[in-house]
Amino acid sequence: MLSHGNLLSNARVLKDYWAWQPGDVLMHVLPIFHVHGLFVAVHGALLNGSKMIWMAKFEPRQVLQKLPEATVFMGVPTLYVRLLAEPGLDRQATRNMRLFIAGSAPLLIETFREWQTRTGHTILERYGMSETAMLTSNPYAPDARYGNQSERRGGTVGFPLPGVQLRVQDDAGTSLPAGQVGGIQVKGPNVFAGYWRMPEKTREEFTADGFFKTGDVGRIDSDGYVTIVGRSKDLIISGGYNVYPAEIEGYINTLPGVAESAVVGVPDVDFGEVGVAVVIAKPGAQVDAAKILAALKTMLANFKVPKRCYVVQELPRNAMGKVQKNLLRSHYGSET
Ligand code: MCA
């Protein structure tokens, strides 16, 4: 439940933080059924009274053709990777741009650096969630508020935005000092009121003193930059879309002949991360990996369908009997 107050406060902060200015033109290429495309991009432009160049689909070549008419671009890392694959991406193509912003998934340092080399622009990475809109951002420009810490630092998501309180806690609920890794919790005028008609879940996800537990794991460096190192929830972020392994496993387990399954995220050059399914057949049953994927395609949105499927004899388990997804990730992450 996001209120108008949540969204307006965040949009105002972003307008100031990213220095939206008269004459800005947004190149809009993201789906408008997510906070990134719908709120951060569209509402940023609307609040600034800005023109948008509206693309129905992300086509790298079309984007490059139109880019000289734009000043602001927002994308998930996959879009930057795909633009980098275009020979036409260079300083000339990006000459009128003021700002490139990335979010929704981790931007690899290689992408950040290659973008700098090819275009001369430094991508500004920020961090947010549907529940909170935007939480942190790398700085737009040198700013007295942050002394020397005014660079856009690759691999980090920058500073908590004005008005956002962000802390890192261990499992016992103790706030951790700079540099130590723990659960990221936030509070601020942008944070939602709770999950719609889910009071239990809402209670679980907030602390007694009103901080929202993001489920992301990270640290705050001594100079204030926030870095996300992982997440506590079992979640795959593929091309900027959230994919919940438990949902996919639930579908696989209903298929004929399947005893059990585990879905894990493995690295992918294009989507950052993609799902891989590892399946165990019922005794005596014949299960075919390609058929499983074909069946899933009829049941799920395409982006949720694992890119690969393996039928194996057993799943690695720890002493408690829990599937060791980390082992599956490292094993299947190296097979392409
Ligand atoms: C498409 N496919 C995918 C994905 N997208 N598979 C995994 N992950 C994906 N993200 C499937 C297609 O259905 C197709 O399957 C095959 O992969 C190849 O698709 P392709 O043509 O390459 O895909 P596309 O249509 O060009 O889409 C790629 C995309 C898109 C443009 C990167 O995924 C996208 O727009 N992502 C952005 C999502 C986003 O806005 N996220 C923000 C949410 P087949 O071959 O079987 O047909 S997060 C958010 O809002 C928070 C608050 C935040 O902080 O921003």
Side-chain angles (χ1 to χ4, degrees):
M1 292 179 284
L2 283 164
S3 66
H4 287 111
N6 290 148
L7 297 176
L8 184 59
S9 70
N10 206 235
R12 284 186 169 141
V13 163
L14 294 176
K15 183 175 185 299
D16 176 48
Y17 208 77
W18 293 341
W20 278 92
Q21 43 198 256
D24 266 338
V25 174
L26 174 75
M27 164 74 77
H28 193 300
V29 297
L30 287 162
I32 49 167
F33 44 80
H34 274 293
V35 161
H36 197 164
L38 177 60
F39 169 69
V40 192
V42 171
H43 285 75
L46 288 177
L47 190 63
N48 195 49
S50 267
K51 186 175 147 185
M52 287 182 259
I53 301 174
W54 196 258
M55 298 275 183
K57 189 175 180 340
F58 174 73
E59 294 286 358
R61 256 171 235 174
Q62 254 178 36
V63 170
L64 282 184
Q65 257 170 23
K66 283 286 204 185
L67 214 48
E69 295 169 38
T71 62
V72 179
F73 178 90
M74 299 189 194
V76 299
T78 299
L79 307 194
Y80 288 99
V81 170
R82 291 186 180 185
L83 283 167
L84 280 167
E86 291 297 323
L89 179 84
D90 56 17
R91 282 170 193 253
Q92 178 65 9
T94 56
R95 64 191 180 278
N96 294 331
M97 289 297 294
R98 180 175 73 76
L99 185 56
F100 287 98
I101 301 173
S104 310
L107 180 74
L108 292 182
I109 192 76
E110 293 80 14
T111 311
F112 175 86
R113 292 203 181 118
E114 205 186 332
W115 194 269
Q116 253 174 347
T117 311
R118 287 271 291 280
T119 69
H121 288 276
T122 305
I123 298 173
L124 178 154
E125 187 171 2
R126 56 67 181 173
Y127 159 61
M129 302 177 73
S130 300
E131 290 90 333
T132 63
M134 298 303 99
L135 291 165
T136 73
S137 172
N138 269 282
Y140 173 67
D143 187 320
R145 282 175 291 187
Y146 303 108
N148 292 329
Q149 281 84 46
S150 55
E151 60 168 336
R152 297 180 198 165
R153 198 175 287 175
T156 83
V157 292
F159 305 103
L161 287 165
V164 173
Q165 295 174 62
L166 185 147
R167 70 187 183 194
V168 174
Q169 286 208 339
D170 63 14
D171 290 343
T174 308
S175 290
L176 298 172
Q180 288 198 25
V181 169
I184 295 179
Q185 302 179 353
V186 294
K187 194 176 190 174
N190 52 310
V191 176
F192 76 147
Y195 295 101
W196 175 243
R197 291 185 176 157
M198 295 171 92
E200 288 286 300
K201 184 171 164 62
T202 301
R203 245 191 316 276
E204 275 168 28
E205 305 293 339
F206 280 88
T207 63
D209 60 348
F211 277 75
F212 173 61
K213 302 177 203 164
T214 63
D216 289 309
V217 173
R219 60 167 195 272
I220 308 172
D221 292 335
S222 53
D223 50 6
Y225 283 87
V226 177
T227 301
I228 315 283
V229 299
R231 58 189 88 95
S232 57
K233 293 170 188 167
D234 192 10
L235 165 73
I236 300 168
I237 305 184
S238 183
Y241 285 131
N242 288 0
V243 179
Y244 293 90
E247 184 194 5
I248 320 302
E249 290 158 5
Y251 280 95
I252 299 176
N253 297 347
T254 64
L255 297 174
V258 171
E260 202 189 352
S261 61
V263 172
V264 293
V266 300
D268 180 78
V269 281
D270 185 29
F271 290 122
E273 206 176 16
V274 292
V276 167
V278 188
V279 176
I280 311 267
K282 283 183 180 151
Q286 286 292 320
V287 176
D288 180 68
K291 284 195 182 133
I292 291 180
L293 294 181
L296 289 178
K297 276 208 168 180
T298 66
M299 304 165 128
L300 293 166
N302 260 354
F303 73 89
K304 292 184 184 175
V305 177
K307 298 289 182 217
R308 303 195 293 279
C309 177
Y310 301 91
V311 180
V312 300
Q313 296 300 319
E314 58 180 346
L315 295 171
R317 292 178 188 280
N318 65 14
M320 318 275 282
K322 201 169 174 266
V323 174
Q324 290 170 299
K325 288 199 161 179
N326 54 332
L327 294 184
L328 291 175
R329 270 190 286 272
S330 52
H331 183 74
Y332 292 98
S334 49
E335 287 189 23
T336 44

